[in-house]
Structures are given as C-alpha cells and as structure tokens.
Amino acid sequence: MTGSQRRTGCFHSARELGNPLDFLVEDNTRERGICDLLDQIAQSAVPKAADVTTVITYLKEELPLHLQDENEDLVPLMRLRCKAEDQIDDVITRLQSNHGHAMVDLPAIVLLLGKATPMSERTRRMIRNFASHARSHISVENAILLPIARVRLKANDLDKMRRHMLERRGLHRVIG
C-alpha cells in the first residue's frame, strides 16, 4: 500500500476536499492530535511502540504534504489576494519560519523516535519542544491565516488549490 493509498483513508468523501481550506483545518486538527501523542511519548522513557509508529508515519508521510499545501498553494495565493490592510506579510513570514524550523527539526525527531528506548530526558525535551512549536504554528494558521483566506481567496483559487492537493496525494484520478 502506498502513502497515497493510505492517505485516501483520511478523506471521508470527495466533498471533504471540496473546500481545501476546510481540509487544511482538518489536517491541523490531525496534527494537533499528533502533538498530543508526542507529549504522551515524551512522558515516558519507554513509549508505546504503536504510538511511536503512528507519529513517525505521520511525520514522514502526511506532514510534508500539509506543508507543501501551505507553501506551494496557500501562501502564494494569500500574497496575491490579500490587501495591505490584512497585514498578511508578517503572518506569512512567521509561518514560513515555522515551516523552515519544522523541516530542519523533522529528520532529527524521526530519528530520535526510531531509536531504541529508553529515551533520554534531552530527547524527551526535544520532542516536547517540537510539539509545542507545532501547536503554536497551528494556532496562528487557524486563528489568523485561514479566516483571512476564507474572505480573500476566490472560487478559482480554491479549485486550483484543491486540484494540487489531490495531485500531491495521487488522488486526482480517483476523486478529481
């Protein structure tokens, strides 16, 4: 089973990706759940193997797609459509900085999670920090960026974004 096939299970129906902004909110909810799982993992020197596997799979397969959705579609469209009064540049700069940190930290977190236990306190602290940083990013995105996107993006912007999101997941022929 490929990552794309597994990802299909995250769609309850073709309509779920009808509005890509709703899908981003759903992805953020999933990421917040992964952050909670990371916190649970960090509480124990010997975490549950199933929890570690779930997190590693998410970090390697789903999070990069979510970040691509934002970096390659949402951010450019926001820069195109937002007005000066939206003051979106500061928000985007902050989010892109967060993305950069996430992509730099991601391989180390995956590596640390994949190592044999027990985990050191340093490793557990790094995992907690990664989760905390991700939660901060999600909050900014959900509270500021996505509400402005709902006002500023046009129907054809959302259609384009939806197509790209489906293509990234190898679902454009299945759901299209």
Side-chain angles (χ1 to χ4, degrees):
M1 181 179 287
T2 68
S4 296
Q5 289 168 323
R6 272 193 299 276
R7 182 68 178 149
T8 306
C10 293
F11 292 103
H12 301 298
S13 71
R15 283 181 297 229
E16 186 174 311
L17 194 53
N19 184 330
L21 301 178
D22 292 340
F23 184 76
L24 290 175
V25 169
E26 190 134 337
D27 255 4
N28 285 341
T29 300
R30 172 104 166 102
E31 186 176 353
R32 194 176 295 277
I34 293 296
C35 290
D36 293 344
L37 202 49
L38 282 165
D39 285 341
Q40 287 177 11
I41 288 168
Q43 287 177 2
S44 172
V46 184
K48 295 178 185 174
D51 291 347
V52 170
T53 299
T54 297
V55 170
I56 288 173
T57 300
Y58 174 82
L59 294 176
K60 289 172 76 174
E61 295 180 13
E62 293 183 46
L63 183 60
L65 292 173
H66 178 68
L67 295 177
Q68 264 188 292
D69 294 339
E70 293 175 4
N71 291 332
E72 294 178 18
D73 285 305
L74 182 62
V75 167
L77 287 169
M78 293 296 288
R79 287 193 190 278
L80 178 68
R81 299 291 182 212
C82 286
K83 298 179 180 185
E85 68 219 36
D86 296 325
Q87 298 180 348
I88 205 68
D89 286 333
D90 291 340
V91 174
I92 288 173
T93 298
R94 180 175 172 189
L95 290 174
Q96 288 183 319
S97 173
N98 287 345
H99 287 180
H101 290 295
M103 293 313 290
V104 166
D105 295 343
L106 190 62
I109 295 297
V110 169
L111 182 67
L112 291 170
L113 288 168
K115 287 187 174 189
T117 54
M119 289 191 300
S120 69
E121 180 52 42
R122 179 180 174 273
T123 294
R124 293 172 22 208
R125 185 175 46 254
M126 288 175 66
I127 290 169
R128 284 191 298 271
N129 287 343
F130 184 84
S132 176
H133 197 86
R135 278 191 192 94
S136 174
H137 170 83
I138 293 166
S139 295
V140 170
E141 189 174 317
N142 283 349
I144 301 170
L145 189 67
L146 291 173
I148 295 172
R150 290 185 191 285
V151 172
R152 297 295 183 213
L153 298 185
K154 300 178 181 318
N156 61 330
D157 296 332
L158 298 175
D159 288 342
K160 178 181 175 183
M161 194 171 168
R162 177 184 186 273
R163 277 192 319 276
H164 290 166
M165 291 169 82
L166 288 170
E167 288 169 4
R168 271 185 208 102
R169 290 158 178 82
L171 299 172
H172 56 291
R173 290 187 185 102
V174 177
I175 295 177

